[in-house]
Amino acid sequence: MLSQYKNIQVSVDGSKEADLAFSKAIAIAKRNHATLEILHVIDTRSFQNVSSFDSAMVEQVSKDAEKRMKDYQARANKAGVTDSHYSIEFGSPKAIIGHDFPKKHNIDLIVVGATGLNAVERLLIGSVTEYVTRTAKCDVLVCRAKEIANALEG
């Protein structure tokens, strides 16, 4: 018997891999008649390093994220996903993507890109995707862009 997913979480950050993950999550949600939860996490640690904390900057980041998420939801609806929601969370991407959000929304599949936007952060604190695949309590699908996968193969 094949697994049927009911609540699918896709984490997006504007990267190529996140866009690929989003496309795959749409296909899976349609096939399973599942709810698609589109998640973007604003890493609050990036604001801690700003010497003169500016609330206008946080507001702008939030507005940009809101616009991007509405665009993602419109794409999902246009593609035929009948039940989609988006969320913008603030905090640690690892904890939110891997534990907090899935628990709160009864997620049974997390779809993520292989890498995100910030290569420096990945080197310093480790990959969010790697952490999620090791610690999530549900299935995780990692999507890799073809160009990157081909480069890794040789």
Coordinates of all heavy atoms in Angstrom, one line a residue, residues 3-10 25 28-29 32-38 83-85 101-111 138-140:
S3 N 1.9 5.2 0.6 CA 1.7 6.2 1.6 C 0.8 7.3 1.0 O 1.0 7.7 -0.2 CB 2.9 6.8 2.1 OG 3.6 6.0 3.0
Q4 N -0.1 7.8 1.7 CA -0.9 8.9 1.3 C -0.6 10.1 2.3 O -0.9 9.9 3.5 CB -2.4 8.7 1.1 CG -3.1 9.9 0.6 CD -4.4 9.6 0.1 OE1 -4.8 8.4 -0.2 NE2 -5.2 10.6 -0.1
Y5 N -0.1 11.2 1.8 CA 0.2 12.3 2.7 C -1.0 13.2 2.7 O -1.7 13.4 1.7 CB 1.4 13.1 2.1 CG 2.6 12.2 2.1 CD1 3.2 11.7 0.9 CD2 3.3 11.8 3.3 CE1 4.3 11.0 0.9 CE2 4.4 11.0 3.3 CZ 4.9 10.6 2.1 OH 6.0 9.8 2.1
K6 N -1.3 13.7 3.9 CA -2.5 14.6 4.1 C -2.1 16.0 4.3 O -2.8 16.9 3.9 CB -3.3 14.1 5.3 CG -3.9 12.7 5.1 CD -4.8 12.4 6.3 CE -5.4 11.0 6.3 NZ -5.5 10.3 5.1
N7 N -0.9 16.2 5.0 CA -0.5 17.6 5.3 C 1.0 17.7 4.9 O 1.9 17.2 5.6 CB -0.6 17.9 6.8 CG -2.1 17.8 7.2 OD1 -2.9 18.5 6.7 ND2 -2.4 16.9 8.1
I8 N 1.2 18.5 3.9 CA 2.6 18.6 3.3 C 3.1 20.0 3.6 O 2.4 21.0 3.3 CB 2.6 18.3 1.8 CG1 2.1 16.9 1.5 CG2 3.9 18.6 1.1 CD1 1.7 16.7 0.1
Q9 N 4.3 20.0 4.1 CA 5.0 21.3 4.4 C 6.1 21.5 3.4 O 6.9 20.6 3.1 CB 5.6 21.3 5.8 CG 6.5 22.4 6.1 CD 7.2 22.2 7.4 OE1 6.6 21.8 8.4 NE2 8.5 22.4 7.5
V10 N 6.1 22.7 2.7 CA 7.2 23.0 1.8 C 7.9 24.3 2.4 O 7.2 25.3 2.6 CB 6.8 23.1 0.4 CG1 5.8 24.2 0.1 CG2 8.0 23.3 -0.5
A25 N 6.3 19.8 -4.4 CA 5.3 19.7 -3.3 C 3.9 19.9 -3.9 O 3.0 19.3 -3.4 CB 5.6 20.8 -2.2
I28 N 2.9 16.6 -5.4 CA 2.5 15.6 -4.4 C 1.2 16.0 -3.7 O 0.4 15.1 -3.5 CB 3.7 15.5 -3.4 CG1 4.9 15.0 -4.0 CG2 3.3 14.6 -2.2 CD1 6.2 15.2 -3.2
A29 N 1.0 17.2 -3.5 CA -0.3 17.7 -2.8 C -1.5 17.4 -3.7 O -2.5 16.9 -3.3 CB -0.2 19.2 -2.5
N32 N -2.2 13.6 -3.8 CA -2.7 13.0 -2.6 C -3.9 13.8 -2.1 O -4.4 13.5 -1.0 CB -1.6 13.1 -1.5 CG -0.5 12.1 -1.7 OD1 -0.6 11.0 -1.3 ND2 0.5 12.5 -2.5
H33 N -4.4 14.8 -2.8 CA -5.5 15.7 -2.3 C -5.2 16.2 -0.9 O -6.0 16.1 0.0 CB -6.8 14.9 -2.4 CG -7.1 14.3 -3.7 ND1 -7.4 15.1 -4.8 CD2 -7.1 13.0 -4.2 CE1 -7.6 14.3 -5.9 NE2 -7.4 13.0 -5.5
A34 N -4.0 16.6 -0.8 CA -3.5 17.0 0.6 C -3.5 18.6 0.8 O -3.5 19.3 -0.2 CB -2.0 16.5 0.7
T35 N -3.4 18.9 2.0 CA -3.2 20.4 2.4 C -1.7 20.7 2.1 O -0.8 19.9 2.5 CB -3.6 20.6 3.8 OG1 -4.9 20.3 4.0 CG2 -3.3 22.0 4.2
L36 N -1.5 21.8 1.5 CA -0.1 22.3 1.3 C 0.2 23.5 2.2 O -0.5 24.5 2.1 CB 0.1 22.7 -0.2 CG 1.5 23.2 -0.5 CD1 2.6 22.1 -0.3 CD2 1.6 23.6 -2.0
E37 N 1.1 23.3 3.1 CA 1.5 24.4 4.0 C 2.8 25.0 3.5 O 3.9 24.3 3.5 CB 1.7 23.9 5.4 CG 0.5 23.3 6.1 CD -0.5 24.4 6.5 OE1 -0.2 25.6 6.5 OE2 -1.7 24.0 6.8
I38 N 2.8 26.2 3.0 CA 4.0 26.9 2.5 C 4.6 27.7 3.6 O 4.0 28.6 4.2 CB 3.6 27.8 1.3 CG1 2.7 27.0 0.3 CG2 4.9 28.3 0.6 CD1 2.0 27.9 -0.7
D83 N -6.2 23.2 -1.4 CA -6.1 23.6 0.1 C -4.7 24.0 0.4 O -3.8 23.1 0.6 CB -6.6 22.5 1.0 CG -6.7 22.8 2.4 OD1 -6.6 24.1 2.7 OD2 -6.9 21.9 3.3
S84 N -4.4 25.3 0.3 CA -3.0 25.7 0.6 C -3.1 26.9 1.6 O -4.0 27.7 1.6 CB -2.3 26.1 -0.7 OG -2.9 27.3 -1.2
H85 N -2.0 27.0 2.4 CA -1.9 28.1 3.4 C -0.4 28.5 3.4 O 0.4 27.7 3.1 CB -2.3 27.6 4.8 CG -3.6 27.0 4.8 ND1 -3.7 25.6 4.9 CD2 -4.9 27.5 4.8 CE1 -5.0 25.3 4.9 NE2 -5.7 26.4 4.9
F101 N 6.8 23.7 13.5 CA 5.8 23.8 12.5 C 5.1 22.4 12.2 O 3.9 22.3 12.2 CB 6.3 24.5 11.3 CG 5.2 24.9 10.3 CD1 4.6 26.2 10.5 CD2 4.7 24.1 9.3 CE1 3.6 26.6 9.6 CE2 3.7 24.5 8.5 CZ 3.2 25.8 8.6
P102 N 5.9 21.4 12.0 CA 5.3 20.1 11.7 C 4.4 19.6 12.8 O 3.4 19.0 12.6 CB 6.5 19.2 11.5 CG 7.6 20.1 11.0 CD 7.4 21.4 11.8
K103 N 4.9 19.8 14.0 CA 4.1 19.4 15.2 C 2.8 20.1 15.3 O 1.7 19.5 15.5 CB 4.9 19.5 16.5 CG 4.2 19.0 17.7 CD 5.1 19.1 18.9 CE 4.4 18.5 20.1 NZ 5.2 18.6 21.3
K104 N 2.9 21.4 15.1 CA 1.7 22.3 15.2 C 0.6 22.0 14.1 O -0.6 22.2 14.4 CB 2.2 23.8 15.2 CG 1.1 24.8 15.4 CD 1.8 26.2 15.4 CE 0.7 27.3 15.4 NZ 1.4 28.6 15.3
H105 N 1.1 21.7 12.9 CA 0.2 21.5 11.8 C 0.0 20.0 11.4 O -0.5 19.8 10.3 CB 0.7 22.3 10.6 CG 0.7 23.8 10.9 ND1 -0.4 24.6 10.6 CD2 1.6 24.6 11.4 CE1 -0.1 25.8 11.0 NE2 1.1 25.9 11.5
N106 N 0.5 19.1 12.2 CA 0.3 17.7 11.9 C 0.9 17.3 10.5 O 0.2 16.5 9.8 CB -1.2 17.4 11.9 CG -1.6 16.2 12.8 OD1 -0.7 15.7 13.5 ND2 -2.8 15.9 12.9
I107 N 2.0 17.7 10.2 CA 2.7 17.5 9.0 C 3.2 16.1 8.9 O 3.8 15.5 9.8 CB 3.9 18.5 8.8 CG1 3.4 19.9 8.8 CG2 4.7 18.2 7.5 CD1 2.5 20.3 7.7
D108 N 2.9 15.4 7.7 CA 3.4 14.1 7.5 C 4.4 14.0 6.4 O 5.0 12.9 6.2 CB 2.3 13.1 7.3 CG 1.2 13.5 6.3 OD1 1.5 14.4 5.5 OD2 0.1 12.9 6.3
L109 N 4.7 15.1 5.7 CA 5.8 15.1 4.7 C 6.4 16.5 4.7 O 5.6 17.5 4.5 CB 5.3 14.7 3.3 CG 6.3 14.9 2.2 CD1 7.5 13.9 2.4 CD2 5.7 14.7 0.8
I110 N 7.7 16.6 4.8 CA 8.4 17.9 4.7 C 9.1 17.9 3.4 O 9.9 16.9 3.1 CB 9.4 18.2 5.9 CG1 8.6 18.2 7.2 CG2 10.2 19.5 5.6 CD1 9.6 18.2 8.4
V111 N 8.9 18.9 2.5 CA 9.7 19.0 1.3 C 10.6 20.2 1.4 O 10.1 21.3 1.7 CB 8.7 19.1 0.1 CG1 9.4 19.2 -1.2 CG2 7.7 18.0 0.1
C138 N 8.7 13.0 10.7 CA 8.0 12.5 9.6 C 8.9 12.4 8.4 O 10.1 12.6 8.4 CB 6.9 13.5 9.2 SG 7.5 15.2 8.8
D139 N 8.3 11.9 7.2 CA 9.1 11.8 6.0 C 9.6 13.1 5.5 O 9.0 14.2 5.7 CB 8.2 11.2 4.9 CG 7.9 9.7 5.1 OD1 8.4 9.1 6.1 OD2 7.0 9.2 4.4
V140 N 10.8 13.1 4.9 CA 11.4 14.3 4.4 C 11.8 14.0 2.9 O 12.5 13.0 2.7 CB 12.6 14.8 5.2 CG1 13.3 16.0 4.6 CG2 12.2 15.1 6.7

